[in-house]
């Protein structure tokens, strides 16, 4: 069967008005282009209709603009005809038997350019208040103080606004003011109206400690979130939380804690009822990926390469195509800790160039290679991240320190 052509989307122009982005395309595709299979735009279109705020602009019009921007000839027809977009989408998607893997990949593609329009708080809802969107725009412009002022102004009239509390805490963490940030997260925990929202605020608290490189305190708060998901029998999410704690610990150098929590994540994820083969492969891939990184950090290159080969073998089964982007990251990571910086750079440049952790590692690699200019360039990119997650928790503080030291 012929593989559908891949279409590049390389940029998103996001107007201040909050209206949908104007997509730009380029030919030939650039290195940092985001790719999408034409068939996957069917799944993207469904997510557009579910995610984009209806009041911003008629969603079908925006979806049609998306397809035009992608340049795919297979998508626009699904938006025409007397039936509603949703009805036509389901009619097409079902006969094509779109798989869960395709939906997951489509979501990743969509979120790559929708993420700046949505709040970066963990567990956030697709539709956010206007002040959150305004704050996010300010953060993208590097105006963290202005964003914080906006959130604090909102809290003056709505002191129990969980979105405002979470957003203010996020900004403070990005500014390196973790102790102050956690006051807002604690208030969010106290006023949360559901156990799930409380767990979301606890997770944000865990990430706050991650920004300070504190594995022990991160684990302490992630444990509470882990237990919440256990109480609702959500084993997949439990595994995700355990892996998140492990990721923080490996980045801070606590390899024993990282190994323990990766094991917990792997074993818990496999407890999911009626576990499908693809999901089992996902957990096995994550396990091999983690073990390769831990072995590399411990200087055991033989074990690291063995785990890399095992991870690649799982990917070669084709059950989790969305995970392929994490292979060059792994190969580059292992090469870096082996001291093979040229090989590391070659692989890392194939990884997700929008990931602040990858940007940070590329900066470290250029620094090892003696290219101070390129190192600072990538450190600056990483330091500008506005997400509140494990990748930014390591990359933002580290990169800001590097920019200061290398630019002085």
């Amino acid at each position: 069967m012929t593989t559908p052509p891949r279409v590049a989307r390389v940029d998103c122009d996001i107007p201040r008005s909050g209206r949908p982005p104007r997509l730009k395309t380029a030919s030939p595709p650039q290195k940092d282009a985001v790719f999408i299979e034409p068939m996957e735009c069917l799944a993207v279109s469904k997510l557009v209709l579910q995610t984009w705020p209806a009041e911003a602009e008629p969603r079908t019009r925006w979806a049609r603009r998306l397809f035009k921007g992608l340049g795919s000839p297979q998508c626009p027809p699904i938006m025409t005809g007397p039936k509603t977009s949703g009805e036509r989408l389901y009619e097409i998607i079902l006969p094509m038997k779109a798989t869960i893997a395709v939906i997951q990949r489509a979501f990743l593609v969509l979120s790559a350019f929708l993420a700046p329009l949505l709040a970066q708080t963990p567990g956030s809802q697709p539709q956010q208040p206007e002040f959150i969107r305004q704050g996010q725009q300010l953060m993208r412009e590097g105006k963290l103080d202005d964003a914080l002022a906006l959130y604090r102004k909102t809290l003056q009239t709505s002191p129990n606004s969980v979105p405002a509390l979470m957003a203010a805490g996020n900004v403070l963490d990005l500014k390196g003011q973790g102790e102050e940030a956690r006051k807002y997260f604690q208030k969010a925990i106290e006023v949360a109206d559901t156990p799930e929202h409380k767990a979301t605020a606890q997770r944000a608290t865990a990430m706050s400690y991650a920004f300070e490189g504190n594995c022990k305190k991160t684990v302490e708060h992630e444990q509470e979130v882990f237990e919440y998901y256990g109480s609702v029998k959500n084993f997949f999410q439990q595994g995700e939380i355990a892996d998140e704690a492990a990721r923080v610990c490996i980045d801070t150098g606590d390899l024993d804690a990282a190994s323990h929590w990766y094991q917990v994540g792997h074993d818990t994820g496999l407890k999911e009822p009626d576990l499908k083969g693809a999901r089992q492969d996902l957990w096995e891939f994550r396990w091999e990926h983690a073990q390769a990184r831990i072995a590399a950090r411990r200087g055991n290159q033989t074990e690291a390469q063995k785990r890399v080969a095992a991870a690649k073998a799982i990917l070669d089964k084709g059950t989790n195509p969305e995970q392929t982007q994490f292979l060059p990251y792994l190969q580059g990571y292992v090469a870096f800790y082996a001291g093979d910086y040229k090989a590391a750079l070659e692989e890392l440049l194939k990884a997700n160039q929008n990931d602040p952790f990858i940007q940070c590692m590329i900066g470290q690699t250029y620094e090892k290679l003696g290219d101070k200019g390129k190192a600072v360039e990538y450190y600056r990119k990483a330091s500008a991240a506005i997400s509140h997650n494990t990748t930014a928790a390591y990359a933002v503080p580290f990169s800001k320190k590097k920019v200061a030291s290398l630019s002085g």
Side-chain angles (χ1 to χ4, degrees):
M1 180 176 180
T2 303
T3 302
R6 298 172 76 83
V7 182
R9 181 178 66 255
V10 300
D11 193 15
C12 231
D13 180 15
I14 311 216
R16 285 193 179 187
S17 63
R19 292 177 65 80
R22 297 187 296 276
L23 301 178
K24 299 178 182 179
T25 57
S27 181
Q30 299 176 2
K31 286 185 178 180
D32 59 351
V34 178
F35 292 95
I36 180 172
E37 301 288 357
M39 187 182 79
E40 293 171 0
C41 66
L42 297 170
V44 170
S45 61
K46 175 184 173 187
L47 289 166
V48 166
L49 295 174
Q50 294 175 340
T51 305
W52 185 253
E55 67 272 15
E57 182 176 2
R59 292 176 294 177
T60 54
R61 189 193 317 163
W62 187 78
R64 190 180 296 112
R65 189 191 304 180
L66 165 65
F67 301 142
K68 182 179 180 181
L70 289 174
S72 170
Q74 300 184 25
C75 291
I78 70 173
M79 305 306 297
T80 62
K83 297 184 179 181
T84 67
S85 300
E87 291 171 340
R88 293 187 60 81
L89 286 169
Y90 279 106
E91 287 179 359
I92 296 175
I93 290 174
L94 289 176
M96 294 184 71
K97 299 180 180 179
T99 64
I100 294 297
V102 171
I103 295 294
Q104 290 175 332
R105 176 172 164 79
F107 178 78
L108 292 174
V109 174
L110 178 63
S111 64
F113 62 89
L114 273 186
L117 299 176
L118 305 176
Q120 297 292 333
T121 55
S124 61
Q125 296 300 313
Q127 187 170 341
Q128 292 290 352
E130 179 60 27
F131 73 85
I132 291 291
R133 290 193 286 269
Q134 292 174 358
Q136 286 291 299
Q137 178 61 40
L138 290 170
M139 292 170 69
R140 286 193 297 275
E141 295 171 358
K143 301 176 181 178
L144 297 184
D145 288 336
D146 291 344
L148 181 59
L150 174 63
Y151 297 143
R152 283 174 167 166
K153 181 179 179 180
T154 300
L155 288 168
Q156 288 177 359
T157 55
S158 303
N160 292 335
S161 169
V162 173
L165 289 166
M166 298 283 284
N170 290 353
V171 175
L172 286 163
D173 274 331
L174 291 167
K175 286 168 58 65
Q177 300 175 30
E179 185 175 352
E180 184 68 16
R182 290 189 287 277
K183 294 178 182 178
Y184 287 88
F185 295 139
Q186 181 58 41
K187 180 67 177 296
I189 292 172
E190 293 170 359
V191 302
D193 56 351
T194 67
E196 182 179 10
H197 291 164
K198 180 178 180 180
T200 297
Q202 289 170 330
R203 187 176 185 181
T205 303
M207 283 302 99
S208 181
Y209 282 110
F211 270 84
E212 295 180 348
N214 192 327
C215 164
K216 182 178 179 180
K217 295 296 288 186
T218 297
V219 167
E220 178 182 320
H221 288 275
E222 292 279 40
Q223 178 77 51
E224 296 183 59
V225 185
F226 182 84
E227 290 174 359
Y228 161 71
Y229 283 113
S231 71
V232 295
K233 306 299 182 184
N234 189 335
F235 298 111
F236 179 80
Q237 196 62 37
Q238 271 195 300
E240 294 265 279
I241 294 301
D243 275 11
E244 186 171 86
R247 172 68 183 269
V248 172
C249 291
I250 192 174
D251 288 342
T252 61
D254 192 337
L255 303 184
D256 290 338
S259 181
H260 168 74
W261 282 101
Y262 274 127
Q263 180 79 64
V264 171
H266 170 267
D267 295 349
T268 305
L270 293 177
K271 293 179 182 179
E272 183 180 357
D274 302 319
L275 190 70
K276 305 300 182 183
R279 183 61 64 83
Q280 180 171 348
D281 288 343
L282 173 63
W283 286 115
E284 297 303 338
F285 171 73
R286 288 176 170 177
W287 173 247
E288 298 296 343
H289 197 290
Q291 292 304 301
R293 284 180 287 129
I294 290 173
R297 293 290 293 270
R298 286 176 168 159
N300 189 341
Q301 274 295 307
T302 300
E303 178 67 13
Q305 292 298 337
K306 174 184 175 182
R307 296 291 188 170
V308 170
K312 184 177 184 303
I314 296 170
L315 287 180
D316 289 344
K317 296 169 68 174
T319 52
N320 289 276
E322 73 284 354
Q323 297 297 311
T324 56
Q325 63 177 307
F326 298 110
L327 184 61
Y329 150 44
L330 175 60
Q331 292 170 321
Y333 189 103
V334 170
F336 179 87
Y337 283 100
D340 189 349
Y341 303 119
K342 289 185 178 180
L345 182 62
E346 181 180 352
E347 293 300 327
L348 290 170
L349 289 173
K350 299 175 186 176
N352 181 3
Q353 299 301 289
N354 296 317
D355 184 328
F357 183 83
I358 299 299
Q359 294 167 348
C360 184
M361 282 213 69
I362 293 175
Q364 290 176 270
T365 306
Y366 272 122
E367 188 177 358
K368 291 291 187 180
L369 290 170
D371 192 333
K372 180 179 175 181
K374 293 295 288 185
V376 171
E377 175 188 339
Y378 276 89
Y379 284 140
R380 288 190 188 280
K381 290 181 181 180
S383 67
I386 62 172
S387 52
H388 195 257
N389 55 24
T390 55
T391 57
Y394 171 81
V396 171
F398 183 92
S399 295
K400 284 183 176 180
K401 291 177 182 178
K402 282 293 185 178
V403 169
S405 65
L406 294 177
S407 301

